[in-house]
């Protein structure tokens, strides 16, 4: 009897040990299965977010150290993708002929998605400017850079120049998306068909009547008035007589002292454009080009003289800075104007030159002008055939967003110091 009891106890103990082993094995099985499932989810997530559209910056990243509505960044909404729009737009940019060569063989356009009209390749791939996910990502990145205002490249509806994409149809999307990220939008008005003093008045009235009530529409204080601000590209192409019709207080179609009044900024490229701007009754000017030495206005060493002249004429001077320049994927003959980024050193030199003249506003060329390689939008390494796109290595994909943020911080500090002294 006692022997039977011992055998029973031994059997029970063995069963208990066996049960523990099975439980351990089962727990290990569950653990391994969990790892496999998580790895699979991560793989699916990576596949789904190949171009980063679903990736959200962490709370620390999306909260900028600073943000300033005195910092304006040029933004281009002209891109189209086959997936979203049914065709590519601008990514398939053609090779532009050299205007100095009379008979040059016409080059075929680029063929996205791998072959695009840019020396860099965007992290988001050849995206659509109309895609809400893209817009949301862009606004998140711009806010992170510290720039508070998008200067959106814009054509009036039905007045686009040949081969240009209509953009007015997505302006409300841009304004809404900007508002969601506490950003503001102003208009960078491109040359359009039949541009004249009378027609610029019609265009400004259209902008105000259509978009002026939107919460993201940018206005700033100027001479005691809260006014919208406009950039007018290639303003020197129109005579000062025509501009004066709209911008002079005595002009035939004057916008002044009306609900359509604003701050109108022309482009200063050559030195003689200063007189043209003053005679046209512009309120100020910007330099746009991110190419030191390309034109008088874009040459850093000239900015002190330009600033002094602007003060004499009571004009606002907004220097434009950029991280570099390269456009040989659309202008293969223009390599002499390439400006290497040098891991941010070129951008830094431009910023310091701008800081020297103590401007009230600063403009950045650009967030996403990919054709001319001035973008601060994240880019990634990529190879297509024998061609290797440029990238930001050894810096990170978002290096120029971070660098811009540091510039904005310094710029705001200078503005605050100027106000304290004043």
């Amino acid at each position: 009897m006692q022997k039977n009891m011992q055998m029973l106890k031994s059997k029970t103990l063995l069963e208990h040990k066996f049960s523990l082993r099975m439980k351990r094995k089962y727990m290990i099985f569950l653990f391994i299965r969990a790892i496999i499932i998580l790895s699979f989810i991560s793989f699916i997530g990576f596949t789904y977010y190949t171009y980063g559209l679903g990736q959200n910056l962490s709370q620390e990243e999306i909260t900028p150290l600073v943000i300033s509505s005195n910092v304006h960044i040029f933004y281009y909404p002209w891109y189209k993708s086959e997936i979203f729009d049914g065709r590519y737009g601008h990514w398939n940019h053609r090779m532009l002929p050299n205007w100095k060569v009379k008979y040059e063989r016409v080059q075929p356009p680029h063929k996205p998605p791998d072959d695009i009209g840019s020396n860099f390749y965007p992290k988001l791939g050849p995206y659509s400017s109309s895609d809400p996910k893209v817009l949301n990502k862009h606004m998140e990145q711009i806010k992170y850079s510290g720039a508070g205002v998008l200067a959106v490249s814009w054509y009036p509806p039905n007045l686009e120049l040949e081969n240009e994409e209509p953009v007015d149809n997505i302006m409300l999307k841009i304004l809404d998306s900007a508002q969601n990220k506490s950003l503001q939008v102003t208009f960078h008005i491109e040359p359009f068909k039949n541009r004249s003093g009378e027609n610029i008045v019609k265009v400004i009235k259209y902008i105000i009547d259509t978009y002026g009530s939107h919460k993201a529409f940018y206005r700033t204080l100027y001479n005691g008035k809260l006014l919208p601000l406009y950039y007018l590209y290639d303003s020197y192409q129109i005579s000062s007589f025509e501009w004066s019709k709209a911008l002079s207080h005595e002009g035939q179609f004057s916008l002044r002292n009306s609900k359509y009044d604003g701050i109108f900024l022309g482009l200063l490229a050559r030195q003689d454009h200063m007189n043209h701007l003053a005679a046209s009754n512009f309120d100020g000017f910007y330099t746009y080009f991110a190419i030191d030495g390309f034109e008088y206005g874009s040459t850093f060493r000239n900015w002190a003289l330009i600033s002094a002249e602007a003060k004499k004429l009571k004009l606002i001077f907004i220097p434009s800075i950029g991280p570099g320049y390269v456009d040989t994927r659309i202008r293969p003959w223009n390599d002499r104007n390439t400006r290497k980024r040098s891991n941010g050193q070129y951008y830094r030199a431009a910023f310091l030159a701008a800081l020297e003249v103590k401007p009230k506003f600063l403009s950045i060329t650009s967030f996403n002008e990919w054709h001319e390689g001035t973008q601060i939008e994240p880019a990634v390494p990529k190879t297509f055939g024998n061609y290797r796109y440029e990238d930001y290595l050894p810096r990170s994909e978002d290096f120029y967003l971070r660098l811009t943020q540091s510039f904005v911080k310094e710029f705001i500090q200078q503005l605050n110091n100027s106000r304290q002294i004043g």
Side-chain angles (χ1 to χ4, degrees):
M1 182 71 177
Q2 188 175 1
K3 186 177 180 181
N4 289 339
M5 286 295 292
Q6 288 176 347
M7 289 177 65
L8 183 61
K9 285 180 181 179
S10 298
K11 183 179 179 183
T12 303
L13 185 60
L14 285 170
E15 288 176 348
H16 178 67
K17 288 181 178 179
F18 180 76
S19 176
L20 286 174
R21 287 194 194 101
M22 290 301 293
K23 283 181 180 178
R24 287 193 193 101
K25 287 181 179 179
Y26 184 65
M27 292 298 292
I28 292 170
F29 166 75
L30 289 177
F31 179 72
I32 293 171
R33 189 177 72 168
I35 291 174
I36 292 171
I37 290 171
L38 288 171
S39 299
F40 179 73
I41 290 171
S42 298
F43 173 75
I44 293 297
F46 175 78
T47 303
Y48 180 74
Y49 298 129
T50 299
Y51 291 136
L53 291 179
Q55 297 172 1
N56 290 317
L57 296 168
S58 68
Q59 189 60 42
E60 179 183 0
E61 287 177 317
I62 65 173
T63 304
L65 297 175
V66 291
I67 186 167
S68 175
S69 59
N70 287 52
V71 178
H72 307 164
I73 190 162
F74 295 111
Y75 182 84
Y76 291 85
W78 53 28
Y79 300 104
K80 292 186 181 297
S81 74
E82 195 169 66
I83 294 175
F84 196 87
D85 305 290
R87 66 180 179 85
Y88 285 107
H90 266 271
W91 299 116
N92 58 347
H93 204 294
R94 66 190 179 91
M95 296 282 193
L96 297 175
N98 187 344
W99 54 79
K100 294 182 179 179
V101 179
K102 189 172 183 180
Y103 301 106
E104 186 177 25
R105 186 169 64 89
V106 177
Q107 300 289 333
H110 290 281
K111 295 181 179 180
D114 294 322
D115 173 23
I116 64 171
S118 170
N119 292 68
F120 293 85
Y121 199 86
K123 182 179 180 180
L124 298 184
Y127 54 75
S128 168
S129 297
S130 301
D131 187 341
K133 290 182 180 179
V134 169
L135 286 174
N136 181 67
K137 176 61 68 175
H138 281 177
M139 300 308 152
E140 185 178 280
Q141 291 170 341
I142 291 170
K143 183 173 182 177
Y144 177 50
S145 79
V149 179
L150 288 76
V152 179
S153 177
W154 180 82
Y155 293 94
N158 304 314
L159 291 176
E160 302 88 0
L161 297 181
E162 187 180 0
N163 298 321
E164 289 300 341
E165 297 285 353
V167 294
D168 186 63
N169 57 340
I170 64 169
M171 282 304 298
L172 278 176
K173 281 186 179 182
I174 293 172
L175 283 156
D176 288 343
S177 190
Q179 183 185 340
N180 289 339
K181 298 297 180 183
S182 302
L183 298 172
Q184 296 174 283
V185 173
T186 190
F187 285 66
H188 187 196
I189 304 174
E190 300 279 2
F192 55 87
K193 291 177 183 176
N194 304 318
R195 189 163 61 158
S196 66
E198 182 178 5
N199 285 340
I200 197 67
V201 169
K202 292 178 181 177
V203 165
I204 297 300
K205 287 182 176 180
Y206 172 81
I207 291 173
I208 294 298
D209 292 343
T210 308
Y211 305 110
S213 61
H214 199 286
K215 290 181 180 179
F217 186 81
Y218 175 65
R219 288 181 172 86
T220 189
L221 198 62
Y222 180 65
N223 290 339
K225 297 179 181 179
L226 198 61
L227 296 173
L229 180 148
Y230 306 98
Y231 290 91
L232 293 119
Y233 189 69
D234 278 356
S235 52
Y236 52 82
Q237 293 179 349
I238 305 298
S239 71
S240 57
F241 174 74
E242 278 297 321
W243 284 120
S244 293
K245 290 180 181 179
L247 303 182
S248 168
H249 285 275
E250 296 78 29
Q252 185 179 353
F253 313 105
S254 181
L255 293 163
R256 302 305 188 181
N257 295 325
S258 72
K259 73 172 186 176
Y260 301 107
D261 201 355
I263 304 167
F264 299 93
L265 305 171
L267 176 65
L268 179 80
R270 298 196 312 264
Q271 187 170 5
D272 61 323
H273 290 164
M274 186 77 76
N275 292 330
H276 174 268
L277 291 160
S280 300
N281 289 277
F282 278 98
D283 299 290
F285 57 89
Y286 65 114
T287 55
Y288 185 75
F289 299 107
I291 316 174
D292 183 27
F294 172 63
E295 292 279 12
Y296 173 80
S298 67
T299 302
F300 303 161
R301 67 174 181 271
N302 294 335
W303 285 356
L305 182 61
I306 290 171
S307 178
E309 187 67 18
K311 287 175 183 175
K312 287 180 185 177
L313 297 171
K314 296 182 178 179
L315 295 174
I316 301 168
F317 169 35
I318 304 184
S320 303
I321 67 171
Y325 186 94
V326 58
D327 65 357
T328 53
R329 291 281 284 174
I330 64 167
R331 301 183 186 99
W333 39 268
N334 195 37
D335 59 320
R336 66 186 179 88
N337 283 319
T338 295
R339 299 294 183 270
K340 293 292 185 182
R341 295 189 173 220
S342 302
N343 294 322
Q345 293 179 38
Y346 179 85
Y347 197 16
R348 179 74 180 168
F351 172 68
L352 291 176
L355 214 59
E356 279 292 314
V357 300
K358 297 180 171 59
K360 182 181 178 182
F361 300 94
L362 183 67
S363 59
I364 298 170
T365 309
S366 64
F367 177 74
N368 64 338
E369 218 298 9
W370 288 92
H371 304 311
E372 296 182 344
T374 62
Q375 79 289 336
I376 66 167
E377 183 182 358
V380 293
K382 184 177 175 63
T383 300
F384 167 66
N386 294 325
Y387 181 75
R388 184 182 183 277
Y389 288 93
E390 295 186 38
D391 52 57
Y392 305 157
L393 293 174
R395 306 296 189 178
S396 62
E397 298 164 353
D398 64 350
F399 171 69
Y400 289 96
L401 297 178
R402 295 176 183 274
L403 189 56
T404 303
Q405 187 184 96
S406 72
F407 293 166
V408 174
K409 185 178 182 180
E410 288 186 61
F411 179 64
I412 287 178
Q413 185 62 53
Q414 185 184 80
L415 286 179
N416 291 338
N417 291 341
S418 298
R419 287 168 186 152
Q420 289 171 10
I421 294 170

